[in-house]
Each structure stands twice: as C-alpha cells, then as structure tokens.
Amino acid sequence: MEDELRAILLSTAEAYAAVARCGMTTVARRVKNNAAFFKRLSDPTTSFTARSFDEVMEWFADNWPRDCQRPLELLQWVKGSQNRSRTVTA
C-alpha cells in the first residue's frame, strides 16, 4: 500500500511540475516547504504517514492550475475525501 501511495504522490508531483513549468524541488518547496521532500520520498526505504499523503494531495487539489487537466489519481482522491467528510459529519 505504501508503495502505491508513494507512486501516486510522485506522479502527481511530476504532473504538477509539468503544468506549472517548474522543477520538482520547486514543487516540494511549495507543497511541504522542503526542497528535498520528493527526492526523499522517491527512496523506497524511507517512510511517510497517511497524514502527509493527505496533506500533499489536498495541496495539489487546492493549488492545481485551473486551466490544466488534473491527474486521475488526484480526482479520485478528491472524490474519496469528499465521501470521507460526509461520513464523518453524518
């Protein structure tokens, strides 16, 4: 599961870098205020929390350029997070 989430974060970051026309270190600084975040994340021996996953995906959802296509994984995360919010508040 962690490897799948790692792949989603990295591919979403790469897609954002492409549409924002910037490098991955710039994306990492914008998202986590840590230029090495995605480089460290690409190392499969490092770990990250589910909270970090959600925080990063939320940042992408909130900051994706309006005129650019969002990755499928990001759209799925947004839909899932909306469903979780409804479940928690119901």
Side-chain angles (χ1 to χ4, degrees):
M1 179 72 150
E2 185 175 3
D3 289 338
E4 182 180 339
L5 297 179
R6 180 187 316 276
I8 290 170
L9 287 177
L10 292 171
S11 66
T12 303
E14 289 167 357
Y16 179 87
V19 299
R21 298 181 185 159
C22 63
M24 289 291 281
T25 57
T26 300
V27 177
R29 274 194 302 271
R30 290 177 184 175
V31 174
K32 293 291 277 181
N33 198 27
N34 177 350
F37 178 76
F38 291 111
K39 183 177 181 177
R40 191 181 78 248
L41 187 66
S42 66
D43 178 359
T45 64
T46 63
S47 188
F48 60 96
T49 65
R51 179 177 294 193
S52 287
F53 177 84
D54 284 339
E55 287 173 353
V56 171
M57 294 301 279
E58 182 175 10
W59 188 93
F60 284 126
D62 292 344
N63 293 281
W64 203 268
R66 289 184 182 193
D67 298 337
C68 297
Q69 179 70 32
R70 293 177 182 209
L72 179 60
E73 292 88 355
L74 180 57
L75 294 172
Q76 290 172 334
W77 179 87
V78 168
K79 183 177 179 181
S81 68
Q82 291 169 345
N83 290 338
R84 285 189 298 274
S85 294
R86 287 189 195 115
T87 302
V88 170
T89 59

Coordinates of all heavy atoms in Angstrom, one line a residue:
M1 N 0.8 -1.2 0.0 CA 0.0 0.0 0.0 C 0.9 1.3 0.0 O 0.6 2.2 -0.7 CB -0.9 0.0 1.2 CG -1.8 1.2 1.3 SD -3.1 1.2 0.1 CE -4.4 2.0 0.9
E2 N 1.9 1.3 0.8 CA 2.8 2.4 0.9 C 3.4 2.7 -0.5 O 3.5 3.9 -0.9 CB 3.8 2.3 2.0 CG 4.7 3.5 2.2 CD 5.6 3.4 3.3 OE1 5.7 2.4 4.0 OE2 6.3 4.4 3.6
D3 N 3.8 1.7 -1.2 CA 4.5 1.9 -2.5 C 3.5 2.5 -3.5 O 3.8 3.3 -4.3 CB 5.0 0.6 -3.0 CG 6.3 0.1 -2.3 OD1 6.9 0.9 -1.6 OD2 6.5 -1.1 -2.3
E4 N 2.2 2.1 -3.4 CA 1.2 2.6 -4.3 C 1.0 4.1 -4.0 O 0.9 4.9 -4.9 CB -0.1 1.8 -4.1 CG -1.2 2.3 -5.0 CD -2.5 1.5 -4.9 OE1 -2.5 0.4 -4.3 OE2 -3.6 2.0 -5.2
L5 N 0.8 4.4 -2.7 CA 0.7 5.8 -2.3 C 1.9 6.7 -2.7 O 1.7 7.8 -3.1 CB 0.4 5.9 -0.8 CG -0.9 5.3 -0.3 CD1 -1.1 5.4 1.2 CD2 -2.1 5.8 -1.1
R6 N 3.1 6.1 -2.5 CA 4.3 6.8 -2.9 C 4.3 7.1 -4.4 O 4.6 8.2 -4.8 CB 5.5 5.9 -2.6 CG 6.8 6.5 -2.9 CD 8.0 5.5 -2.7 NE 7.9 4.8 -1.4 CZ 8.3 5.2 -0.2 NH1 8.9 6.4 -0.1 NH2 8.2 4.4 0.8
A7 N 3.9 6.1 -5.2 CA 3.8 6.3 -6.7 C 2.8 7.4 -7.0 O 3.1 8.2 -8.0 CB 3.5 5.0 -7.3
I8 N 1.7 7.4 -6.3 CA 0.7 8.4 -6.6 C 1.2 9.8 -6.3 O 1.0 10.8 -7.1 CB -0.6 8.1 -5.8 CG1 -1.3 6.9 -6.4 CG2 -1.6 9.4 -5.8 CD1 -2.4 6.4 -5.5
L9 N 1.9 10.0 -5.2 CA 2.4 11.3 -4.8 C 3.5 11.7 -5.8 O 3.4 12.9 -6.3 CB 3.0 11.2 -3.4 CG 2.1 11.2 -2.2 CD1 2.9 11.1 -0.9 CD2 1.2 12.4 -2.2
L10 N 4.3 10.8 -6.2 CA 5.4 11.2 -7.1 C 4.8 11.5 -8.5 O 5.3 12.5 -9.1 CB 6.5 10.1 -7.2 CG 7.3 9.9 -5.9 CD1 8.2 8.7 -6.0 CD2 8.1 11.2 -5.7
S11 N 3.9 10.7 -9.0 CA 3.4 11.0 -10.3 C 2.5 12.3 -10.3 O 2.6 13.0 -11.3 CB 2.5 9.8 -10.9 OG 1.4 9.6 -10.1
T12 N 1.8 12.6 -9.3 CA 1.0 13.8 -9.2 C 2.0 15.0 -9.1 O 1.7 16.0 -9.8 CB 0.1 13.8 -7.9 OG1 -0.7 12.6 -8.0 CG2 -0.7 15.0 -7.8
A13 N 3.1 14.9 -8.4 CA 4.1 16.0 -8.3 C 4.7 16.2 -9.7 O 4.9 17.4 -10.1 CB 5.1 15.6 -7.3
E14 N 5.0 15.1 -10.4 CA 5.6 15.3 -11.7 C 4.6 15.9 -12.7 O 5.0 16.8 -13.5 CB 6.1 13.9 -12.2 CG 7.3 13.4 -11.5 CD 7.6 11.9 -11.8 OE1 6.8 11.3 -12.5 OE2 8.6 11.4 -11.2
A15 N 3.4 15.6 -12.6 CA 2.3 16.2 -13.4 C 2.2 17.7 -13.1 O 2.1 18.5 -14.0 CB 1.0 15.4 -13.3
Y16 N 2.2 18.0 -11.8 CA 2.1 19.4 -11.4 C 3.3 20.2 -11.9 O 3.2 21.3 -12.4 CB 2.0 19.5 -9.9 CG 1.9 21.0 -9.5 CD1 0.7 21.6 -9.4 CD2 3.1 21.7 -9.1 CE1 0.6 23.0 -9.0 CE2 3.0 23.0 -8.8 CZ 1.8 23.6 -8.7 OH 1.7 25.0 -8.3
A17 N 4.5 19.6 -11.8 CA 5.7 20.3 -12.3 C 5.6 20.6 -13.8 O 6.0 21.6 -14.2 CB 7.0 19.4 -12.0
A18 N 5.0 19.6 -14.5 CA 4.9 19.8 -16.0 C 3.9 21.0 -16.3 O 4.2 21.8 -17.1 CB 4.5 18.5 -16.6
V19 N 2.8 21.0 -15.6 CA 1.8 22.0 -15.9 C 2.2 23.4 -15.4 O 1.9 24.4 -15.9 CB 0.4 21.7 -15.5 CG1 -0.1 20.4 -16.2 CG2 0.2 21.5 -14.0
A20 N 2.9 23.4 -14.3 CA 3.4 24.6 -13.6 C 4.7 25.1 -14.2 O 5.2 26.2 -13.9 CB 3.5 24.5 -12.1
R21 N 5.3 24.2 -15.0 CA 6.6 24.6 -15.7 C 7.7 24.9 -14.7 O 8.3 26.0 -14.7 CB 6.4 25.7 -16.7 CG 5.5 25.3 -17.8 CD 5.4 26.3 -18.8 NE 4.3 25.9 -19.8 CZ 3.7 26.8 -20.6 NH1 4.0 28.1 -20.5 NH2 2.8 26.3 -21.4
C22 N 7.8 24.0 -13.7 CA 8.9 24.2 -12.7 C 9.5 22.8 -12.4 O 9.0 21.8 -12.8 CB 8.3 24.8 -11.5 SG 7.0 23.8 -10.6
G23 N 10.5 22.8 -11.6 CA 11.2 21.6 -11.2 C 10.6 21.0 -10.0 O 9.8 21.6 -9.3
M24 N 11.0 19.8 -9.7 CA 10.4 19.0 -8.6 C 10.8 19.7 -7.2 O 10.1 19.6 -6.3 CB 10.9 17.6 -8.6 CG 10.2 16.8 -9.7 SD 8.5 16.5 -9.4 CE 8.5 15.2 -8.2
T25 N 12.0 20.2 -7.2 CA 12.4 20.9 -5.9 C 11.5 22.1 -5.7 O 11.2 22.4 -4.5 CB 13.9 21.3 -5.9 OG1 14.2 22.2 -7.0 CG2 14.8 20.1 -6.0
T26 N 11.1 22.8 -6.7 CA 10.2 23.9 -6.5 C 8.8 23.4 -6.1 O 8.2 24.0 -5.2 CB 10.1 24.7 -7.9 OG1 11.3 25.2 -8.2 CG2 9.1 25.9 -7.7
V27 N 8.4 22.4 -6.6 CA 7.1 21.8 -6.2 C 7.2 21.4 -4.7 O 6.3 21.7 -3.9 CB 6.7 20.5 -7.1 CG1 5.4 19.9 -6.5 CG2 6.6 20.9 -8.5
A28 N 8.3 20.7 -4.4 CA 8.5 20.3 -3.0 C 8.5 21.5 -2.0 O 7.9 21.4 -0.9 CB 9.8 19.5 -2.8
R29 N 9.1 22.6 -2.4 CA 9.1 23.8 -1.6 C 7.7 24.3 -1.4 O 7.3 24.8 -0.3 CB 10.1 24.8 -2.1 CG 11.5 24.7 -1.7 CD 12.3 25.9 -2.0 NE 12.3 26.3 -3.4 CZ 13.2 25.8 -4.3 NH1 14.2 25.0 -3.9 NH2 13.2 26.2 -5.5
R30 N 7.0 24.4 -2.5 CA 5.6 24.9 -2.4 C 4.7 24.0 -1.6 O 3.9 24.5 -0.8 CB 5.0 25.0 -3.8 CG 5.7 26.1 -4.7 CD 5.1 26.1 -6.1 NE 5.8 27.0 -7.0 CZ 5.5 27.2 -8.2 NH1 4.6 26.4 -8.9 NH2 6.2 28.1 -8.9
V31 N 4.8 22.7 -1.7 CA 3.9 21.8 -1.1 C 4.3 21.6 0.4 O 3.4 21.7 1.3 CB 3.9 20.4 -1.8 CG1 3.1 19.4 -1.0 CG2 3.4 20.6 -3.2
K32 N 5.6 21.3 0.7 CA 6.0 21.0 2.1 C 7.0 21.9 2.7 O 7.5 21.7 3.8 CB 6.5 19.6 2.1 CG 5.5 18.5 1.8 CD 4.5 18.3 2.9 CE 5.0 17.5 4.0 NZ 4.0 17.3 5.1
N33 N 7.4 23.0 1.9 CA 8.4 23.9 2.4 C 9.7 23.1 2.7 O 10.4 23.4 3.6 CB 8.0 24.7 3.6 CG 8.8 25.9 3.8 OD1 9.4 26.5 2.9 ND2 9.0 26.4 5.1
N34 N 10.0 22.1 1.8 CA 11.1 21.3 2.0 C 11.6 20.8 0.6 O 10.9 19.9 0.0 CB 10.8 20.1 2.8 CG 11.9 19.1 3.0 OD1 12.9 19.2 2.3 ND2 11.7 18.1 3.9
A35 N 12.6 21.4 0.0 CA 13.0 21.1 -1.4 C 13.4 19.7 -1.6 O 13.3 19.2 -2.7 CB 14.2 22.0 -1.7
A36 N 13.7 18.9 -0.6 CA 14.1 17.5 -0.7 C 13.0 16.6 -0.5 O 13.2 15.3 -0.6 CB 15.3 17.2 0.2
F37 N 11.8 17.0 -0.3 CA 10.7 16.1 0.1 C 10.4 15.0 -1.0 O 10.4 13.9 -0.6 CB 9.4 16.9 0.3 CG 8.2 16.1 0.6 CD1 8.1 15.5 1.9 CD2 7.2 15.8 -0.3 CE1 7.0 14.7 2.2 CE2 6.2 14.9 -0.1 CZ 6.0 14.4 1.2
F38 N 10.3 15.4 -2.2 CA 10.0 14.3 -3.2 C 11.2 13.5 -3.5 O 11.1 12.3 -3.9 CB 9.4 15.0 -4.5 CG 8.0 15.5 -4.3 CD1 7.8 16.9 -4.3 CD2 7.0 14.6 -4.0 CE1 6.5 17.4 -4.0 CE2 5.7 15.1 -3.7 CZ 5.5 16.5 -3.8
K39 N 12.4 14.1 -3.4 CA 13.6 13.3 -3.6 C 13.7 12.2 -2.5 O 14.0 11.0 -2.8 CB 14.9 14.1 -3.6 CG 16.1 13.4 -3.9 CD 17.3 14.3 -3.9 CE 18.6 13.4 -4.2 NZ 19.8 14.3 -4.3
R40 N 13.4 12.6 -1.3 CA 13.5 11.7 -0.2 C 12.3 10.6 -0.3 O 12.5 9.4 -0.1 CB 13.3 12.4 1.2 CG 13.6 11.6 2.4 CD 13.4 12.3 3.7 NE 12.0 12.5 4.0 CZ 11.3 13.6 4.0 NH1 11.9 14.7 3.7 NH2 10.0 13.6 4.3
L41 N 11.2 11.1 -0.8 CA 10.0 10.2 -1.0 C 10.3 9.2 -2.0 O 9.8 8.0 -2.0 CB 8.8 11.0 -1.3 CG 7.5 10.3 -1.4 CD1 7.1 9.8 0.0 CD2 6.4 11.2 -2.0
S42 N 11.1 9.5 -3.0 CA 11.4 8.5 -4.1 C 12.3 7.4 -3.6 O 12.4 6.3 -4.3 CB 12.1 9.2 -5.3 OG 13.3 9.7 -4.9
D43 N 12.9 7.5 -2.4 CA 13.7 6.4 -1.8 C 12.7 5.4 -1.1 O 12.1 5.8 -0.1 CB 14.7 7.0 -0.8 CG 15.5 5.9 -0.1 OD1 15.3 4.7 -0.4 OD2 16.4 6.3 0.7
P44 N 12.6 4.2 -1.6 CA 11.6 3.3 -1.1 C 12.0 2.8 0.4 O 11.1 2.2 1.0 CB 11.6 2.1 -2.0 CG 12.9 2.2 -2.8 CD 13.3 3.6 -2.8
T45 N 13.2 3.1 0.8 CA 13.5 2.8 2.2 C 13.0 3.8 3.2 O 13.1 3.6 4.4 CB 15.0 2.6 2.4 OG1 15.7 3.8 2.2 CG2 15.5 1.5 1.4
T46 N 12.6 4.9 2.8 CA 12.0 6.0 3.7 C 10.5 5.8 3.8 O 9.9 5.2 3.0 CB 12.3 7.4 3.2 OG1 11.6 7.6 1.9 CG2 13.8 7.6 3.0
S47 N 10.0 6.3 4.9 CA 8.6 6.1 5.2 C 7.9 7.5 5.2 O 8.6 8.5 5.4 CB 8.4 5.4 6.5 OG 7.1 5.0 6.7
F48 N 6.6 7.5 5.2 CA 5.8 8.7 5.3 C 4.5 8.3 5.9 O 4.1 7.1 5.9 CB 5.6 9.4 4.0 CG 4.9 8.6 2.9 CD1 3.6 8.8 2.7 CD2 5.6 7.7 2.1 CE1 2.9 8.0 1.7 CE2 5.0 7.0 1.2 CZ 3.6 7.2 1.0
T49 N 3.7 9.3 6.4 CA 2.5 9.0 7.1 C 1.3 9.2 6.1 O 1.4 9.9 5.1 CB 2.3 9.9 8.3 OG1 2.1 11.2 7.8 CG2 3.4 9.8 9.3
A50 N 0.2 8.6 6.5 CA -1.1 8.8 5.7 C -1.5 10.3 5.8 O -2.0 10.8 4.9 CB -2.2 7.9 6.3
R51 N -1.2 10.9 6.9 CA -1.5 12.3 7.1 C -0.7 13.1 6.1 O -1.2 14.0 5.4 CB -1.2 12.8 8.5 CG -1.4 14.3 8.7 CD -1.2 14.7 10.1 NE -2.2 14.0 10.9 CZ -2.4 14.3 12.1 NH1 -1.8 15.3 12.7 NH2 -3.4 13.7 12.8
S52 N 0.6 12.8 5.9 CA 1.4 13.5 4.9 C 0.8 13.3 3.5 O 0.8 14.2 2.7 CB 2.9 13.0 4.9 OG 3.5 13.5 6.0
F53 N 0.4 12.1 3.2 CA -0.2 11.8 1.9 C -1.4 12.7 1.7 O -1.5 13.4 0.6 CB -0.6 10.3 1.8 CG -1.3 10.0 0.5 CD1 -0.6 9.7 -0.6 CD2 -2.7 10.0 0.4 CE1 -1.2 9.4 -1.8 CE2 -3.3 9.7 -0.8 CZ -2.6 9.4 -1.9
D54 N -2.3 12.7 2.7 CA -3.5 13.6 2.5 C -3.2 15.1 2.5 O -3.8 15.8 1.7 CB -4.5 13.3 3.7 CG -5.2 12.0 3.5 OD1 -5.3 11.5 2.4 OD2 -5.7 11.5 4.6
E55 N -2.2 15.5 3.2 CA -1.8 16.9 3.2 C -1.3 17.3 1.8 O -1.7 18.4 1.3 CB -0.8 17.2 4.2 CG -1.3 17.2 5.7 CD -0.2 17.3 6.7 OE1 1.0 17.3 6.3 OE2 -0.5 17.5 7.9
V56 N -0.5 16.5 1.2 CA 0.1 16.8 -0.1 C -1.0 16.7 -1.1 O -1.1 17.6 -2.0 CB 1.3 15.8 -0.4 CG1 1.7 16.0 -1.8 CG2 2.4 16.1 0.6
M57 N -1.8 15.7 -1.1 CA -2.9 15.6 -2.1 C -3.9 16.8 -2.0 O -4.4 17.4 -3.0 CB -3.6 14.3 -2.0 CG -2.7 13.1 -2.4 SD -2.1 13.1 -4.1 CE -3.5 12.5 -4.9
E58 N -4.1 17.2 -0.7 CA -5.0 18.4 -0.5 C -4.4 19.6 -1.1 O -5.1 20.5 -1.7 CB -5.3 18.6 1.0 CG -6.2 19.7 1.2 CD -6.6 19.8 2.7 OE1 -6.0 19.1 3.6 OE2 -7.5 20.7 3.0
W59 N -3.1 19.8 -0.9 CA -2.4 20.9 -1.5 C -2.5 20.9 -3.0 O -2.9 22.0 -3.6 CB -0.9 21.0 -1.1 CG -0.2 22.2 -1.5 CD1 -0.1 23.4 -0.8 CD2 0.3 22.5 -2.8 NE1 0.5 24.3 -1.5 CE2 0.8 23.9 -2.8 CE3 0.4 21.8 -4.0 CZ2 1.4 24.5 -3.9 CZ3 1.0 22.4 -5.1 CH2 1.5 23.7 -5.0
F60 N -2.3 19.8 -3.7 CA -2.5 19.7 -5.1 C -3.9 20.0 -5.5 O -4.1 20.7 -6.5 CB -2.1 18.3 -5.6 CG -0.6 18.1 -5.7 CD1 0.0 17.0 -5.1 CD2 0.3 19.0 -6.3 CE1 1.4 16.8 -5.1 CE2 1.6 18.8 -6.4 CZ 2.2 17.7 -5.8
A61 N -4.9 19.5 -4.8 CA -6.3 19.8 -5.1 C -6.6 21.3 -5.0 O -7.3 21.8 -5.9 CB -7.2 19.0 -4.2
D62 N -6.0 21.9 -4.1 CA -6.3 23.4 -3.8 C -5.5 24.3 -4.8 O -5.9 25.4 -5.0 CB -6.0 23.7 -2.4 CG -7.0 23.1 -1.4 OD1 -8.1 22.7 -1.8 OD2 -6.7 23.1 -0.2
N63 N -4.4 23.8 -5.3 CA -3.5 24.7 -6.0 C -3.2 24.3 -7.4 O -2.3 24.9 -8.1 CB -2.1 24.7 -5.2 CG -2.3 25.4 -3.9 OD1 -2.3 26.6 -3.8 ND2 -2.4 24.6 -2.9
W64 N -4.0 23.3 -7.9 CA -3.8 22.9 -9.3 C -4.2 24.1 -10.3 O -5.2 24.7 -10.0 CB -4.6 21.7 -9.6 CG -4.0 20.9 -10.8 CD1 -4.3 21.1 -12.1 CD2 -3.0 19.9 -10.7 NE1 -3.6 20.2 -12.9 CE2 -2.7 19.5 -12.1 CE3 -2.2 19.4 -9.7 CZ2 -1.8 18.6 -12.4 CZ3 -1.3 18.4 -10.0 CH2 -1.1 18.0 -11.3
P65 N -3.4 24.4 -11.3 CA -3.7 25.4 -12.2 C -5.1 25.1 -12.8 O -5.4 24.0 -13.3 CB -2.6 25.4 -13.3 CG -1.5 24.8 -12.5 CD -2.1 23.8 -11.6
R66 N -6.0 26.2 -12.8 CA -7.4 26.0 -13.2 C -7.5 25.5 -14.7 O -8.5 24.7 -14.9 CB -8.1 27.3 -13.1 CG -8.3 27.7 -11.7 CD -9.1 29.0 -11.6 NE -9.3 29.3 -10.2 CZ -10.1 30.2 -9.8 NH1 -10.9 30.8 -10.6 NH2 -10.2 30.5 -8.5
D67 N -6.7 25.9 -15.6 CA -6.9 25.5 -17.0 C -6.2 24.2 -17.4 O -6.2 23.9 -18.6 CB -6.5 26.7 -17.9 CG -7.2 27.9 -17.7 OD1 -8.4 27.9 -17.2 OD2 -6.7 29.0 -18.0
C68 N -5.7 23.5 -16.4 CA -4.9 22.3 -16.7 C -5.6 21.1 -16.2 O -6.3 21.1 -15.1 CB -3.5 22.4 -16.1 SG -2.6 23.8 -16.7
Q69 N -5.5 20.0 -17.0 CA -6.1 18.7 -16.6 C -5.5 18.1 -15.3 O -4.3 18.1 -15.2 CB -5.9 17.7 -17.7 CG -6.5 16.3 -17.5 CD -8.0 16.3 -17.5 OE1 -8.6 17.1 -18.2 NE2 -8.6 15.4 -16.7
R70 N -6.3 17.7 -14.4 CA -5.8 17.1 -13.2 C -5.6 15.6 -13.4 O -6.4 15.0 -14.1 CB -6.8 17.3 -12.0 CG -6.9 18.7 -11.6 CD -8.0 18.8 -10.5 NE -8.1 20.2 -10.1 CZ -8.5 20.6 -8.9 NH1 -8.8 19.7 -8.0 NH2 -8.6 21.9 -8.6
P71 N -4.6 15.0 -12.8 CA -4.4 13.5 -12.9 C -5.6 12.8 -12.3 O -6.2 13.2 -11.4 CB -3.1 13.3 -12.1 CG -2.5 14.6 -11.9 CD -3.6 15.6 -11.9
L72 N -5.8 11.6 -12.9 CA -6.9 10.7 -12.4 C -6.8 10.4 -10.9 O -7.8 10.5 -10.2 CB -6.9 9.5 -13.2 CG -8.0 8.4 -12.8 CD1 -9.4 9.0 -13.0 CD2 -7.9 7.2 -13.7
E73 N -5.5 10.2 -10.4 CA -5.4 9.8 -9.0 C -5.8 11.0 -8.1 O -6.3 10.8 -7.0 CB -3.9 9.5 -8.7 CG -3.5 8.2 -9.4 CD -2.9 8.3 -10.8 OE1 -3.0 9.5 -11.3 OE2 -2.5 7.3 -11.4
L74 N -5.5 12.2 -8.6 CA -5.9 13.4 -7.8 C -7.4 13.5 -7.7 O -8.0 13.8 -6.7 CB -5.2 14.6 -8.3 CG -5.6 15.9 -7.6 CD1 -5.2 15.9 -6.1 CD2 -4.8 17.1 -8.2
L75 N -8.1 13.3 -8.9 CA -9.5 13.4 -8.9 C -10.1 12.3 -8.1 O -11.1 12.6 -7.4 CB -10.0 13.2 -10.4 CG -9.6 14.4 -11.3 CD1 -10.0 14.0 -12.8 CD2 -10.2 15.7 -10.9
Q76 N -9.6 11.1 -8.1 CA -10.1 10.0 -7.2 C -9.9 10.4 -5.7 O -10.8 10.1 -4.9 CB -9.4 8.7 -7.6 CG -9.8 8.2 -8.9 CD -9.0 7.0 -9.4 OE1 -7.8 6.8 -8.9 NE2 -9.5 6.2 -10.2
W77 N -8.7 11.0 -5.4 CA -8.5 11.3 -4.0 C -9.5 12.4 -3.6 O -10.1 12.3 -2.5 CB -7.1 11.9 -3.8 CG -6.9 12.3 -2.4 CD1 -6.5 11.5 -1.4 CD2 -7.1 13.6 -1.8 NE1 -6.4 12.2 -0.2 CE2 -6.8 13.5 -0.5 CE3 -7.5 14.8 -2.3 CZ2 -6.9 14.6 0.4 CZ3 -7.6 15.9 -1.5 CH2 -7.3 15.7 -0.1
V78 N -9.8 13.4 -4.4 CA -10.8 14.4 -4.1 C -12.1 13.8 -3.8 O -12.8 14.1 -2.8 CB -10.8 15.5 -5.2 CG1 -12.0 16.4 -5.0 CG2 -9.5 16.3 -5.2
K79 N -12.5 12.9 -4.7 CA -13.8 12.3 -4.6 C -13.9 11.5 -3.3 O -14.9 11.5 -2.5 CB -14.1 11.4 -5.8 CG -15.5 10.7 -5.7 CD -15.8 9.9 -6.9 CE -17.1 9.3 -6.8 NZ -17.5 8.4 -8.0
G80 N -12.8 10.7 -3.0 CA -12.8 9.9 -1.8 C -12.8 10.8 -0.5 O -13.4 10.5 0.5
S81 N -12.1 11.9 -0.6 CA -12.0 12.8 0.6 C -13.4 13.5 0.9 O -13.8 13.7 2.0 CB -10.9 13.8 0.5 OG -11.2 14.8 -0.5
Q82 N -14.1 13.8 -0.2 CA -15.5 14.3 0.0 C -16.4 13.3 0.6 O -17.2 13.6 1.5 CB -16.0 14.8 -1.4 CG -15.3 16.0 -1.9 CD -15.7 16.3 -3.4 OE1 -16.2 15.5 -4.1 NE2 -15.3 17.5 -3.8
N83 N -16.2 12.0 0.2 CA -17.0 10.9 0.8 C -16.7 10.7 2.2 O -17.6 10.5 3.0 CB -16.9 9.6 0.0 CG -17.5 9.7 -1.4 OD1 -18.4 10.5 -1.6 ND2 -17.0 8.9 -2.3
R84 N -15.4 10.8 2.6 CA -15.0 10.7 4.0 C -15.5 11.8 4.8 O -16.0 11.6 5.9 CB -13.5 10.6 4.1 CG -12.9 9.3 3.7 CD -11.4 9.2 4.0 NE -10.6 10.1 3.3 CZ -10.1 10.0 2.1 NH1 -10.3 8.9 1.4 NH2 -9.3 10.9 1.6
S85 N -15.5 13.0 4.3 CA -16.1 14.2 5.0 C -17.5 14.0 5.3 O -18.0 14.3 6.4 CB -15.9 15.4 4.2 OG -14.5 15.7 4.1
R86 N -18.3 13.5 4.3 CA -19.7 13.2 4.5 C -19.9 12.2 5.6 O -20.8 12.3 6.4 CB -20.4 12.8 3.2 CG -20.5 13.9 2.3 CD -21.4 13.5 1.1 NE -21.2 14.5 0.0 CZ -20.6 14.2 -1.1 NH1 -20.2 13.0 -1.4 NH2 -20.4 15.2 -2.1
T87 N -19.1 11.1 5.6 CA -19.2 10.1 6.6 C -18.9 10.6 8.0 O -19.7 10.3 8.9 CB -18.3 8.9 6.2 OG1 -18.6 8.5 4.9 CG2 -18.4 7.8 7.2
V88 N -17.9 11.4 8.1 CA -17.5 11.9 9.4 C -18.6 12.9 10.0 O -18.9 12.8 11.2 CB -16.2 12.6 9.3 CG1 -15.9 13.3 10.6 CG2 -15.1 11.6 9.0
T89 N -19.2 13.7 9.1 CA -20.1 14.7 9.6 C -21.5 14.2 9.7 O -22.4 14.8 10.3 CB -20.1 15.9 8.7 OG1 -20.5 15.5 7.4 CG2 -18.8 16.6 8.7
A90 N -21.8 13.0 9.1 CA -23.2 12.5 9.2 C -23.6 11.9 10.5 O -22.8 11.7 11.4 CB -23.3 11.4 8.1

